[in-house]
Structures are given as C-alpha cells and as structure tokens.
Amino acid sequence: MSAPPQTPASQRPYTRSGKPAVWVLFGAGGTLAALFGPVLVLVTVVLAPLGLLPPGALGYARVLAFVQWWPGKLALLALVGLLAFHAMFRVYHGLHDLGLGSRSHRLDHLLCYGFASLCTAVCALLLWRA
Amino acid sequence: MSQPRRGVPPLKSMPQHPPLRRGLWPAFKAHRVYALRELTSLAVLYYAVLLIVALHRLLAGEAAFAQFMTALRAPGWVALNLLALAGMVFHAWTWFGVLPKTAPFLFWRGQRVADAWLVRGGLLAWALCTLAVLVFFMAGRS
C-alpha cells in the first residue's frame, strides 16, 4: 500500500477542520476531570463502597432522586460525556505517539470519538429512562 | 523570495545529544512524565465507564445497586479504584501545571498574570472544589 501523493496545502481545496470542536470537548473534560475528578473518585468509588461516608450520603434513595432531577441528569451527562471525550482524545494521540495510528486518521477518529459518543449516548439513554 | 533575516545566530548543534531509542521506555524524563500523563487518561475513561455501569445498576433497583456497591468492596476493586484515584490526582496536577501553556493570557491591571500565579490559581480552584464536594458528602445526614 503506497501513500497517496501529497499536494501542497495551498493547492488543496479548503475544508473545515473538526479540531476546534474536539479540542473544546477535550479541554472542558480535562478541566472538569482536574477540578472534580480526584474528589469524586475518592467519594463515590473508594469511600462509599467501604462505608466511610455518613449513612445515606450516597444511598439508593438519594442517588435515584439525583438522577431523576433534571439538573442532576444534566450534571451527570456532562460529567460522563466530557470525561469520555477527554480520555479518548488522549488515547487517540497516545496511539499515534506509539505509531499505532492509521495513515488517514479517519478510522482512528471514528473509533476513538465514536466510543466517546457511544458512552455519552448510553448515559443519555439511561438518564432518559430514569 | 528572500528569507526573513533574524538578529539571532542559528542554534548550535548538539553533538552530545543522546541517541534516540526505539522501545516503550522513553529515554528522557520529560518524555516519561508525558507518557505517564497521557496514561492517566485511562483512569479518566475508567471512571466514566464505571459511572455508566453504576447508573445502570441503580436503575435495576435497590438490590442491584446495593450488590454493586458491595462488589466494589472487594480488595481487587479497592486497589483498582485507588490506582484510578492516583491517576486522577496526577492528571489534575499536570493539568494545572501546563496552564501557562494552554490558557489564554490573563491580564490584571494591565499586567500579564505571571505563569506561577496561573498555576497557583488553578491549584487553589482544585482545592476549593475538592473541599466543597467533601463537605457536601461528609456533612452529617440522618
């Protein structure tokens, strides 16, 4: 398989790049993960299962009420979706750093951002049914 | 077309530059830190997926949710989640560390905010968010 001949950028037809959109999702997810990620992981998946939170703090009734409350739904969807896009952005670039990317990038984009979109869609569907 | 002239001499070549290595272990510390930082994205991804699973279990009913929470008490899960926590902390630390390169210039009274203060501001915001969430969950609840 040979590489397609490269035409200089100035002679190629102008196409809009999807990079800004992906960058916004990456940046927003990174900021969210940096500000709230550590404490949320600590509280929700370390302290809560070990019973180190006050009783009821992350109990069934309270969490269910949260995901049935529309600001709660939006917050959880934003958290899951943005974290997924942030992580898949880095996975995508990490795979390219390791030389594992495809030449056209199209398949890699589809797989990485497709997976992030899938996570967001599944979360939205679950929240819709909550 | 003439090349623009610069007033600085060309950069010196580095004959003692260590040879680049092929392989998964990068030769330079900065590259290792970079690779580790990119790896923390897996912790972020893990948490996003775990939240989806938790939501699914929550909607399956009270018993399923309790079972899910009990499963997370197993030593293996606790170890994995502590690893994810460490990854998240490193991610946050590096995220605020690169703020001078990623954030737009901020100005305060006509002066550019110094890089060090940008980082300190980010770390302060991180501390405040952490404290707020901890107080929210730790405050006594009957």
Side-chain angles (χ1 to χ4, degrees), chain A residues 34 38 44-45 49 86 97 126, chain B residues 34 41 47 59 73 81 85 91 126:
Chain A
T44 57
V45 297
H86 172 81
D97 288 346
L126 287 172
Chain B
Y34 167 79
S41 66
Y47 186 56
L59 299 185
R73 295 172 74 153
N81 291 334
L85 177 61
H91 169 273
W126 179 23

Side-chain angles (χ1 to χ4, degrees), chain A residues 84-99:
Chain A
F85 269 97
H86 172 81
M88 290 320 292
F89 179 95
R90 284 199 160 163
V91 166
Y92 168 77
H93 286 279
L95 289 178
H96 273 261
D97 288 346
L98 293 175

Side-chain angles (χ1 to χ4, degrees), chain A residues 39, chain B residues 125-137:
Chain A
V39 69
Chain B
W126 179 23
L128 288 179
C129 289
T130 302
L131 195 67
V133 173
L134 275 183
V135 166
F136 178 77
F137 281 107

Side-chain angles (χ1 to χ4, degrees), chain A:
Chain A
M1 208 168 85
S2 65
Q6 281 283 321
T7 42
S10 57
Q11 289 171 25
R12 264 177 271 156
Y14 175 73
T15 49
R16 288 195 123 188
S17 163
K19 276 182 182 175
V22 176
W23 241 98
V24 163
L25 293 170
F26 165 73
T31 305
L32 206 56
L35 288 175
F36 292 104
V39 69
L40 284 179
V41 169
L42 177 70
V43 167
T44 57
V45 297
V46 177
L47 295 184
L50 293 176
L52 297 175
L53 288 183
L58 264 181
Y60 175 74
R62 198 185 192 193
V63 182
L64 188 65
F66 181 76
V67 301
Q68 286 174 342
W69 181 50
W70 69 264
K73 282 180 204 281
L74 277 182
L76 191 58
L77 184 64
L79 184 70
V80 169
L82 292 175
L83 291 194
F85 269 97
H86 172 81
M88 290 320 292
F89 179 95
R90 284 199 160 163
V91 166
Y92 168 77
H93 286 279
L95 289 178
H96 273 261
D97 288 346
L98 293 175
L100 297 175
S102 69
R103 195 187 296 275
S104 75
H105 299 204
R106 200 163 283 174
L107 180 66
D108 313 348
H109 276 147
L110 194 70
L111 289 178
C112 288
Y113 301 129
F115 182 71
S117 307
L118 183 71
C119 287
T120 314
V122 169
C123 188
L125 190 68
L126 287 172
L127 287 169
W128 183 264
R129 289 168 46 189

Side-chain angles (χ1 to χ4, degrees), chain B:
Chain B
M1 209 161 80
S2 65
Q3 293 290 319
R5 287 176 68 89
R6 289 220 167 110
V8 291
L11 291 172
K12 278 186 206 158
S13 65
M14 282 177 62
Q16 63 281 70
H17 190 87
L20 282 176
R21 278 191 284 168
R22 276 198 168 276
L24 285 178
W25 190 251
F28 300 104
K29 189 184 170 225
H31 293 180
R32 287 196 287 273
V33 172
Y34 167 79
L36 193 60
R37 191 188 78 198
E38 300 300 293
L39 263 183
T40 60
S41 66
L42 295 183
V44 176
L45 185 66
Y46 165 74
Y47 186 56
V49 172
L50 197 61
L51 279 179
I52 294 176
V53 175
L55 182 58
H56 180 261
R57 295 287 80 204
L58 178 81
L59 299 185
E62 188 162 5
F65 186 63
Q67 198 184 7
F68 173 75
M69 282 303 218
T70 312
L72 288 187
R73 295 172 74 153
W77 283 105
V78 173
L80 186 63
N81 291 334
L82 284 175
L83 192 66
L85 177 61
M88 278 285 196
V89 169
F90 187 72
H91 169 273
W93 179 257
T94 53
W95 187 261
F96 296 118
V98 298
L99 267 190
K101 291 178 188 168
T102 53
F105 293 156
L106 289 182
F107 291 90
W108 174 256
R109 295 187 177 178
Q111 295 277 315
R112 243 195 82 193
V113 176
D115 288 351
W117 279 104
L118 216 51
V119 176
R120 280 176 206 147
L123 293 176
L124 181 69
W126 179 23
L128 288 179
C129 289
T130 302
L131 195 67
V133 173
L134 275 183
V135 166
F136 178 77
F137 281 107
M138 288 299 185
R141 203 185 135 83
S142 54

